[in-house]
Amino acid sequence: MGVVNVTPDSFSDGGMWFSPGAAVAHGLDLLEQGANILDVGGESTRPGAQRPDEEEELRRIIPVIRELSRSGARVSVDTMRGSVAGLAVEAGASIVNDVSGGLADPDMARVVAAAGVLYVVMHWRGHSDLMQDHASYDDVVGDVCRALSDRVADLCGLGVGRDQLIVDPGFGFAKLPEHNWSLLAHLDAVQSLGLPVLVGTSRKSFLGALGVPEGGAARPPAQRDAATAATTVIAGLAGAWGVRVHDVTSSVDALRVVAAVEAAR
Ligand code: PMM
């Protein structure tokens, strides 16, 4: 899954693809690199980010989704708003990727149930301005799995089909570096929920800290792609359904390595 952020302020590529033309061209480029899905979003979720209003979110993403879908791409919409998800599906999106797992908007479940599309349910503990205040766990792997399992039960109770659901442990969302490493080390626990798993580690800050001496500056996001590809290998070996990445080329290669090794077993 290649990331198409139509935002002025995403942490790794904010502003780079902010015009519809640039975003569409970037999406087509990611397809050439081997992406199977393009994840189009108009709201940055980096820690501390302010939310755009609904009208602005729609203005950013709908023309991009329409154009990419028209060109034959499989598109997911990265949104927490049910109304935006509904209009994105009308414009051609076939997957709704909701980082709040339905918690940010009580209307999301109804929209997803009615649309019948795939729905990514991510582990989430609050909007970006405050999420790092909630980065406290007794046992992060158990706590995240239980929370995801509760979300799945609630969503199914609201009419969403279990066969529509994909779960995501939410790397970097209300997580400290040690939480992200534990989740990556125990993806098998997330897999054991029995649903397809999406992994979104790409360029996140816990990767930027690798190899940096105590107190040193983190590597900038664009220099985290090799580490991201290493996490793609881990996700692939764990049997993940997908990885959401900015640099598609390196993760496609990583998955080719996983496939070749598995074929040789
Ligand atoms: N991370 C970001 C945005 N959307 N969606 C899912 N399902 N999982 C993630 O980990 C995730 C996401 C933040 O990254 P970005 O600002 O580079 O898009």
Side-chain angles (χ1 to χ4, degrees):
M1 176 186 277
V3 179
V4 181
N5 279 328
V6 198
T7 59
D9 57 347
S10 285
F11 77 97
S12 98
D13 55 358
M16 284 178 77
W17 335 107
F18 193 42
S19 76
V24 169
H26 182 55
L28 296 176
D29 223 30
L30 297 180
L31 288 178
E32 287 267 299
Q33 291 169 29
N36 297 128
I37 299 167
L38 298 175
D39 188 42
V40 179
E43 172 174 354
S44 167
T45 46
R46 74 169 206 285
Q50 296 297 312
R51 304 193 71 189
D53 64 22
E54 179 181 328
E55 198 183 331
E56 172 62 14
E57 190 182 355
L58 288 168
R59 196 188 62 72
R60 292 178 185 178
I61 63 170
I62 295 297
V64 177
I65 292 173
R66 191 171 291 126
E67 191 58 33
L68 288 173
S69 302
R70 209 177 271 151
S71 74
R74 189 177 182 201
V75 173
S76 69
V77 58
D78 188 342
T79 187
M80 289 183 260
R81 291 186 169 113
S83 55
V84 173
L87 291 168
V89 170
E90 277 178 29
S94 57
I95 302 174
V96 174
N97 172 25
D98 177 359
V99 298
S100 83
L103 290 172
D105 182 350
D107 200 35
M108 180 63 96
R110 185 192 61 76
V111 170
V112 169
V117 292
L118 293 180
Y119 181 49
V120 179
V121 178
M122 202 191 78
H123 178 257
W124 184 84
R125 283 184 162 182
H127 285 290
S128 303
D129 50 351
L130 296 174
M131 68 179 173
Q132 289 311 95
D133 297 349
H134 303 292
S136 153
Y137 300 86
D138 290 329
D139 153 25
V140 67
V141 176
D143 292 357
V144 166
C145 288
R146 260 187 304 280
L148 284 174
S149 167
D150 289 349
R151 289 309 302 136
V152 166
D154 286 356
L155 289 161
C156 290
L158 291 166
V160 179
R162 194 177 162 86
D163 58 354
Q164 288 179 254
L165 298 176
I166 294 156
V167 290
D168 180 333
F171 289 92
F173 287 79
K175 315 281 186 318
L176 299 175
E178 59 266 35
H179 301 136
N180 294 313
W181 291 118
S182 290
L183 287 164
L184 199 56
H186 297 285
L187 282 177
D188 54 324
V190 186
Q191 289 282 139
S192 69
L193 293 171
L195 289 165
V197 174
L198 177 65
V199 170
T201 51
S202 185
R203 295 185 178 173
K204 288 188 175 165
S205 57
F206 73 112
L207 302 178
L210 284 172
V212 175
E214 184 98 28
R219 275 191 252 182
Q223 288 171 29
R224 301 174 190 169
D225 287 331
T228 299
T231 65
T232 293
V233 172
I234 292 169
L237 288 172
W241 169 85
V243 289
R244 178 186 179 278
V245 296
H246 301 85
D247 184 63
V248 168
T249 305
S250 54
S251 277
V252 166
D253 263 350
L255 292 174
R256 287 190 182 119
V257 170
V258 171
V261 166
E262 288 192 333
R265 277 204 171 122

